[in-house]
Amino acid sequence: MKHTKIIELLKSTNLPAGQAGFDKEVTVNGWVRSRRGGKSVAFIAVNDGSTIHTIQVVADIAKFGEENLKEVTTGACISATGKLVKSQGQGQAVEIQAEKISVLGAANPETYPLQKKGHSLEFLRDIAHLRPRTNTFGAILRLRNHISFAIHKFFNDRGYFYIHTPIITGSDAEGAGEMFHVTNFDLEKIPRTPEGKIDFEKDFFGKQTNLTVSGQLESELGAMGIGLAYTFGPTFRAENSNTPRHLAEFWMIEPEMAFHDINDNMDVAESMLKFVISYVLELCKDDLSFLCEHYDKELLNRLNIVVNATFKRITYTEAIDLLEKSGKKFEFPVSWGIDMQREHETFLVEHFNVPVIVTNYPKDIKAFYMKQNNDGKTVRGMDVLFPYVGEIIGGSQREEIYDKLYQRMKEMNIPEKELWWYLETRKFGTCPHSGFGLGLERLVLFITGMTNVRDVIPFPRTPKNAEF
Ligand code: 4AD
Ligand code: MG
């Protein structure tokens, strides 16, 4: 269908009247956001998703006949052809003087749920199939796209290779046991062994499998051959955390880099985050301004602060010290060895007023693969803590010494049978390497100023919710 995107039509605004773009016949296809006017003219605001802005289609009612315009109501999909002219009215620079309007899909005003402006975000979650048609969600979807693209661009420009790691796996990369099973057993008739255990040998893959919680381990295998690898895919966690920051299905970006130590790792994480935020600040001005104006007046400010900040780097021990000396009464008491809670992370970020990277965590609260320090107590892990969202990245230098890794796996009951291949990279041509995982939704949350991850992924999966 020949038509011009609204984003292109609105660019004609910059041209003087009578010049290219103006007085040309154009066709616009899109959804009616509103219809105003009286008996003689109808002003129809149309949006096609290419931009947050609408274009005004002006229809002479006498010319079309009232009857022929009766289905031009909020929510209907129309195709309008006419001359693009300088607008007579206030609020827009150009408009279309309609010659022809066809309704591609009507939307009964009695039942169309998006009638008025200003629906709550909670209400929109229940109609996630229609929320892409709102200004807010349109802005979020466009931003999410540009953020994803900027991430690929950051890595591609620096010689990283995108590696597609498996979604179905037999291992538990984080060792936390929060996995969704994958099976094609008839659940009413699960085969059992003579001992009464589930007979996974009879299952589709001949072994127990699950949806991956992280692409890291396979991303590491890539890095040990192509040097700089990253994976960007969906990950799944059956953790029953009903919080505004947790999803059961979320997208993770996991670079894995040979010949990078923990400091190099922090450098990459910091420059990637700044690159992505600068990229959308430049490219997505209209969408960001809309979100700033309607949801969070501090949004643009916060984004600029992060782009210009030098992230504060402190050790876990220093962080605990600070928390203890703060004199603040935390809900979760602070002592060396605790897994920091949201309130502790918030304190640290507010204290320094820039993103904070915490390193050298106690080994007992971190995964088996992290590089062990010589003190026997800590590992070379790193968490990047952001204002507003808390932990946005988790990563580490990896343990590259076979014996140390093997011993840690034994201590933590990580089944060698499932990870023999991971161990082999340490047996053959091992090297120092590092990597991290960025939670895409946490970054989109930060950039859009939304307060719930359910509002930054098209169709959220959370406990008791897998609609759409
Ligand atoms: O800290 P996590 O669990 O680290 C890993 O999975 C490592 N394998 C990453 C690596 O080193 N390659 O998760 C990494 C990030 C978190 O910092 C957070 O941003 C996000 O993933 N994340 C979640 N986002 C939404 N919902 C959840 N349930 C999340 N769990 C983690
Ligand atoms: Mg983490």
Side-chain angles (χ1 to χ4, degrees):
M1 290 168 81
K2 195 163 173 287
H3 67 285
T4 313
K5 282 188 289 178
I6 292 174
I7 194 169
E8 300 302 330
L9 294 176
L10 294 180
K11 281 185 191 150
S12 319
T13 315
N14 305 328
L15 303 168
Q19 286 201 7
F22 274 115
D23 298 328
K24 255 193 351 199
E25 188 177 90
V26 297
T27 296
V28 66
N29 294 342
W31 292 269
V32 175
R33 280 298 170 77
S34 65
R35 175 177 168 179
R36 305 178 291 113
K39 290 252 174 301
S40 56
V41 233
F43 299 105
I44 308 154
V46 179
N47 182 275
D48 67 358
S50 62
T51 162
I52 192 143
H53 302 295
T54 52
I55 194 154
Q56 176 158 286
V57 173
V58 184
D60 180 339
I61 294 181
K63 180 156 117 191
F64 285 93
E66 187 73 65
E67 186 58 22
N68 292 323
L69 291 179
K70 85 172 189 305
E71 286 188 327
V72 180
T73 57
T74 300
C77 186
I78 65 166
S79 178
T81 302
K83 240 191 227 169
L84 185 72
V85 298
K86 207 171 177 65
S87 178
Q88 329 275 291
Q90 297 260 304
Q92 65 281 321
V94 295
E95 62 192 24
I96 295 173
Q97 272 172 352
E99 293 294 335
K100 188 169 168 248
I101 295 180
S102 14
V103 175
L104 304 178
N108 183 347
E110 304 287 311
T111 48
Y112 182 59
L114 283 171
Q115 282 299 336
K116 48 181 203 317
K117 285 190 178 154
H119 291 296
S120 73
L121 292 168
E122 288 79 7
F123 172 74
L124 294 179
R125 263 173 235 156
D126 291 337
I127 51 161
H129 58 304
L130 295 174
R131 66 179 178 172
R133 301 189 194 181
T134 61
N135 280 338
T136 300
F137 216 70
I140 293 166
L141 284 179
R142 283 184 294 272
L143 277 160
R144 191 179 159 107
N145 167 73
H146 291 300
I147 291 166
S148 304
F149 181 81
I151 291 166
H152 281 299
K153 179 165 167 55
F154 175 87
F155 288 119
N156 188 59
D157 287 355
R158 286 158 187 76
Y160 287 66
F161 301 105
Y162 180 23
I163 174 169
H164 299 95
T165 51
I167 288 171
I168 300 173
T169 150
S171 60
D172 175 6
E174 293 304 296
E178 295 167 329
M179 298 170 305
F180 291 103
H181 301 298
V182 174
T183 176
N184 77 335
F185 276 155
D186 175 347
L187 297 184
E188 305 289 345
K189 287 184 250 150
I190 295 176
R192 300 270 168 184
T193 62
E195 297 80 49
K197 295 230 163 74
I198 295 173
D199 190 357
F200 285 107
E201 275 181 27
K202 299 218 170 71
D203 205 351
F204 189 88
F205 295 106
K207 64 192 272 189
Q208 192 173 358
T209 52
N210 49 272
L211 295 177
T212 190
V213 296
S214 157
Q216 174 194 328
L217 304 188
E218 292 89 351
S219 188
E220 277 189 56
L221 307 184
M224 300 296 275
I226 54 174
L228 297 174
Y230 75 103
T231 176
F232 186 159
T235 48
F236 308 86
R237 293 195 187 176
E239 54 184 330
N240 212 342
S241 347
N242 232 324
T243 82
R245 302 186 310 148
H246 288 87
L247 292 163
E249 175 179 292
F250 62 100
W251 287 69
M252 195 159 33
I253 297 93
E254 297 182 276
E256 216 42 64
M257 305 159 283
F259 322 119
H260 279 56
D261 66 15
I262 186 73
N263 292 311
D264 304 321
N265 205 21
M266 286 192 271
D267 291 344
V268 174
E270 181 168 345
S271 49
M272 178 194 62
L273 290 166
K274 289 177 177 172
F275 175 87
V276 174
I277 298 170
S278 312
Y279 183 92
V280 293
L281 272 171
E282 184 57 37
L283 196 82
C284 307
K285 289 199 175 86
D286 292 354
D287 287 327
L288 286 173
S289 303
F290 172 85
L291 295 172
C292 189
E293 186 185 326
H294 289 86
Y295 290 96
D296 183 351
K297 300 275 183 281
E298 275 306 299
L299 177 62
L300 290 172
N301 226 350
R302 209 164 40 233
L303 299 182
N304 279 300
I305 288 176
V306 169
V307 167
N308 296 308
T310 301
F311 293 9
K312 179 73 187 173
R313 301 179 182 190
I314 57 170
T315 63
Y316 171 89
T317 304
E318 288 165 344
I320 293 295
D321 214 40
L322 254 172
L323 292 165
E324 281 177 334
K325 292 201 175 122
S326 70
K328 241 189 108 153
K329 186 121 187 59
F330 293 108
E331 189 191 336
F332 296 90
V334 179
S335 63
W336 200 94
I338 60 154
D339 204 355
M340 278 193 256
Q341 301 294 316
R342 182 78 211 277
E343 54 172 344
H344 308 131
E345 297 172 352
T346 308
F347 174 85
L348 292 172
V349 173
E350 285 175 359
H351 178 80
F352 292 108
N353 210 17
V354 289
V356 178
I357 312 184
V358 181
T359 52
N360 294 322
Y361 281 84
K363 66 174 190 209
D364 293 335
I365 57 168
K366 289 293 185 191
F368 69 94
Y369 50 70
M370 294 195 182
K371 171 102 188 133
Q372 297 160 40
N373 283 318
N374 291 332
D375 62 11
K377 287 194 314 194
T378 60
V379 287
R380 244 167 262 179
M382 64 172 214
D383 276 6
V384 180
L385 311 180
F386 252 41
Y388 196 78
V389 294
E391 182 195 328
I392 200 163
I393 280 180
S396 78
Q397 186 168 334
R398 314 306 187 193
E399 183 54 79
E400 85 278 18
I401 300 170
Y402 182 92
D403 291 343
K404 286 195 165 175
L405 179 64
Y406 184 78
Q407 189 206 341
R408 193 70 190 135
M409 283 171 63
K410 285 268 154 283
E411 283 167 14
M412 296 179 76
N413 293 319
I414 308 289
E416 184 191 343
K417 195 168 98 343
E418 286 305 336
L419 288 175
W420 62 271
W421 42 270
Y422 186 69
L423 275 161
E424 282 212 346
T425 55
R426 274 65 174 173
K427 205 187 266 176
F428 306 121
T430 191
C431 77
H433 64 286
S434 298
F436 61 81
L438 164 68
L440 178 67
E441 286 73 21
R442 300 262 174 101
L443 180 59
V444 182
L445 202 59
F446 179 73
I447 291 179
T448 57
M450 292 289 109
T451 53
N452 194 315
V453 275
R454 290 167 178 79
D455 298 325
V456 299
I457 185 165
F459 306 104
R461 268 79 182 97
T462 50
K464 303 276 175 286
N465 172 38
E467 198 61 50
F468 309 107

